[in-house]
Amino acid sequence: MTSLLDELTQAVGPAHVLTGNAIPPQHCTDWFNAHTHQPLALVRPGTPDEVARVMAICHRHGQPVTPQGGLTGLVAGATPNEGDVALSLARLNGVEEIDTAAGTLTVLAGTPLQTAQEAARAAGLLLAVDLGARGSCQVGGNIATNAGGNRVIRYGMFRDQVLGLEAVLADGSVVGGLNKMLKNNAGYDLKHLFIGSEGTLGIVTRAVLRLHPLPQSCHTAWCTLPDHDTVVRFLRHAQAALGGTVSAFEVMWPDFHELVTTRVPDMRSPVAAQGLQVLIEMEGSDTERDMPMFSAMLEAAFEQGWLLDAAIAQSLKERESFWRLRDAVSEFPLMWSPYCGYDVSLPIGDLGRFVDELQAALRARFPHCEHVHFGHVGDSNIHVGVHVAAAHGPFPEAEIDACVYGVLRRYGGSVSAEHGIGQHKKAYLGHSRTPQELALMHTLKRALDPHKLLNPGKVLA
């Protein structure tokens, strides 16, 4: 063990190999503080070459490694096991190049998403994926988990932003493919082995991200609709009327809206009507043209009887207040402790029935529970939060999991829409993947990491 630590220290410098109480607590646990283990060491390489040297050393010693990004994940995907080496990518920080001709940004994996966004914006371009954790999450972690967020309905998942990447394999070898071309069919597209693999097949160290034209206008409305079927009709109407410029379509069920507006301080609804709440946003290229188009779309929806109420943001401050209401999910850990949060997806047309059935199942199984349902919906993603007060006995996490995933399985949905599998969901991966798919995943793992050193215990049981 001393030999291993000595070699790691030689590879990255003594200031960047921490052990024992010198390891900051956040590197030992997950976002919910549900799992806490003491890693053998926290190693902080500063270059992709140092990552490769660290992995080569650990491979030679048979030492398991847990890669860590911004530590904003919700499924314990970056939580080390006892005795693992935790490998932080935080020092791999910086935008290396913006190519305005190619419309690309080359970035190191430890760069915060917001830093990359701001660099693109300074060049007059848009890095399209956006998450609430933008200031803390890192690009490498976003790639490793195939992050989603608020703009997926228009721009796709993080996978759709990656043109090329560089990754370090379990034995320290480097796979480099910093492609800048949108069209490149020269054999297997190897980047997809690492996007969404949660650091179990390789560690992303660099990436080339696709950029888009920077929107010149943004218009936002908060609407109330009577039911989910009407929400779907409104979504398709808006997409047709606005010519593909709908960039966000966030839906909040009444349980979410009531909890947030009555329990979160200084949170007020923009509308008075009760029902399903929708935050819709369009991003366009011509303010003078886009605002009348946006208003006409809403007026047509009123004429169809789809909207019970609506408010259009008249200023940046009002737009931010709409989003603050939607993003009040960050308050749940303060109101509910403990609680279970779920990130699932299923066909858009089934979402309403799924929520109705799940709410009934939760109330039947846990009469004193509180729950919320909200999500992006336009990309088939819904989030569920469930709390059972301590006064009613030990927190029944396993029973709540079984209830939620049991209903989801009947609809053929995915147990993870955008947060990944990590440790929390791997017992339920078989609800969404066939035995043949799981067998192929194990084959890939054996081929790239035969000794199971990379992020052990995550994704696959």
Side-chain angles (χ1 to χ4, degrees):
M1 198 63 67
T2 301
S3 172
L4 168 65
L5 293 177
D6 288 344
E7 289 184 46
L8 292 174
T9 299
Q10 186 174 4
V12 302
H16 302 298
V17 178
L18 307 180
T19 60
N21 293 332
I23 300 175
Q26 65 266 29
H27 291 277
C28 305
T29 189
D30 65 0
W31 195 80
F32 292 100
N33 294 315
H35 300 268
T36 299
H37 298 113
Q38 184 67 29
L40 172 69
L42 173 66
V43 180
R44 304 183 299 194
T47 67
D49 181 62
E50 288 186 357
V51 175
R53 279 188 275 163
V54 167
M55 287 310 306
I57 292 167
C58 290
H59 186 263
R60 191 165 60 251
H61 285 267
Q63 172 62 50
V65 176
T66 298
Q68 295 185 333
L71 300 172
T72 60
L74 301 177
V75 293
T79 305
N81 301 304
E82 199 80 23
D84 284 1
V85 163
L87 191 153
S88 170
L89 297 173
R91 293 179 63 224
L92 271 72
N93 186 340
V95 173
E96 296 188 320
E97 180 194 55
I98 295 180
D99 186 333
T100 55
T104 62
L105 178 148
T106 303
V107 63
L108 289 167
T111 307
L113 175 61
Q114 185 171 340
T115 300
Q117 290 173 327
E118 290 171 352
R121 182 173 289 273
L125 294 165
L126 174 72
L127 177 55
V129 171
D130 189 38
L131 315 172
R134 66 186 71 82
S136 303
C137 66
Q138 298 173 7
V139 169
N142 297 151
I143 293 170
T145 56
N146 189 29
N150 301 325
R151 294 175 176 155
V152 170
I153 187 174
R154 180 170 180 182
Y155 296 104
M157 300 284 283
F158 219 96
R159 180 183 303 279
D160 300 291
Q161 321 309 318
V162 181
L163 292 177
L165 59 75
E166 173 188 87
V168 175
L169 302 184
D171 63 0
S173 57
V174 179
V175 178
L178 296 178
N179 167 68
K180 291 184 179 181
M181 298 165 289
L182 188 58
K183 286 186 173 181
N184 185 350
N185 278 341
Y188 302 150
D189 196 347
L190 297 177
K191 67 177 180 284
H192 292 296
L193 286 172
F194 308 105
I195 302 171
S197 71
E198 302 184 46
T200 62
L201 301 181
I203 301 172
V204 175
T205 51
R206 279 191 178 94
V208 178
L209 304 181
R210 183 183 181 187
L211 302 180
H212 299 266
L214 192 65
Q216 301 302 306
S217 72
C218 180
H219 302 288
T220 311
W222 188 283
C223 308
T224 306
L225 296 93
D227 53 54
H228 181 263
D229 289 343
T230 307
V231 167
V232 175
R233 284 193 290 270
F234 177 51
L235 168 63
R236 299 310 177 205
H237 160 72
Q239 289 177 314
L242 300 178
T245 61
V246 176
S247 57
F249 193 86
E250 303 291 305
V251 181
M252 293 139 281
W253 268 256
D255 52 12
F256 176 96
H257 187 245
E258 180 181 0
L259 180 75
V260 169
T261 55
T262 59
R263 301 265 290 276
V264 178
D266 303 319
M267 201 67 69
R268 185 175 60 85
S269 178
V271 296
Q274 300 298 310
L276 272 73
Q277 309 295 327
V278 173
L279 191 164
I280 182 170
E281 191 162 88
M282 74 168 289
E283 293 178 324
S285 58
D286 186 337
T287 300
E288 292 185 4
R289 180 196 65 189
D290 294 339
M291 186 57 189
M293 186 189 310
F294 191 63
S295 297
M297 179 276 296
L298 293 173
E299 289 172 6
F302 267 115
E303 291 171 1
Q304 291 289 339
W306 297 334
L307 301 187
L308 302 177
D309 200 354
I312 299 177
Q314 300 298 319
S315 64
L316 176 60
K317 183 177 180 180
E318 283 195 357
R319 175 181 178 266
E320 290 174 345
S321 72
F322 290 2
W323 277 105
R324 190 162 57 250
L325 182 55
R326 162 58 182 85
D327 291 339
V329 59
S330 61
E331 300 288 334
F332 292 170
L334 304 177
M335 293 186 294
W336 292 346
S337 183
Y339 86 104
C340 287
Y342 301 90
D343 151 54
V344 301
S345 63
L346 56 160
I348 292 173
D350 292 336
L351 283 169
R353 290 186 292 278
F354 167 75
V355 171
D356 290 345
E357 186 174 338
L358 180 56
Q359 288 176 333
L362 288 170
R363 287 193 296 266
R365 179 67 183 83
F366 311 102
H368 303 288
C369 76
E370 294 182 288
H371 50 69
V372 292
H373 297 75
F374 61 101
H376 313 302
V377 175
D379 55 33
S380 74
N381 180 193
I382 187 169
H383 300 284
V384 180
V386 183
H387 171 64
V388 179
H392 302 290
F395 187 69
E397 181 177 1
E399 293 87 347
I400 299 172
D401 284 353
C403 183
V404 173
Y405 293 133
V407 175
L408 180 75
R409 191 175 199 175
R410 293 196 288 274
Y411 283 87
S414 171
V415 297
S416 179
E418 59 181 355
H419 292 167
I421 298 298
Q423 295 181 60
H424 290 173
K425 297 187 178 187
K426 66 180 183 179
Y428 293 96
L429 185 55
H431 282 33
S432 302
R433 293 294 194 179
T434 66
Q436 293 80 8
E437 288 175 311
L438 292 172
L440 182 55
M441 291 181 196
H442 281 285
T443 298
L444 288 170
K445 177 68 172 173
R446 285 193 299 270
L448 294 178
D449 183 16
H451 303 298
K452 298 183 178 180
L453 300 181
L454 267 176
N455 217 7
K458 316 304 194 304
V459 183
L460 297 173

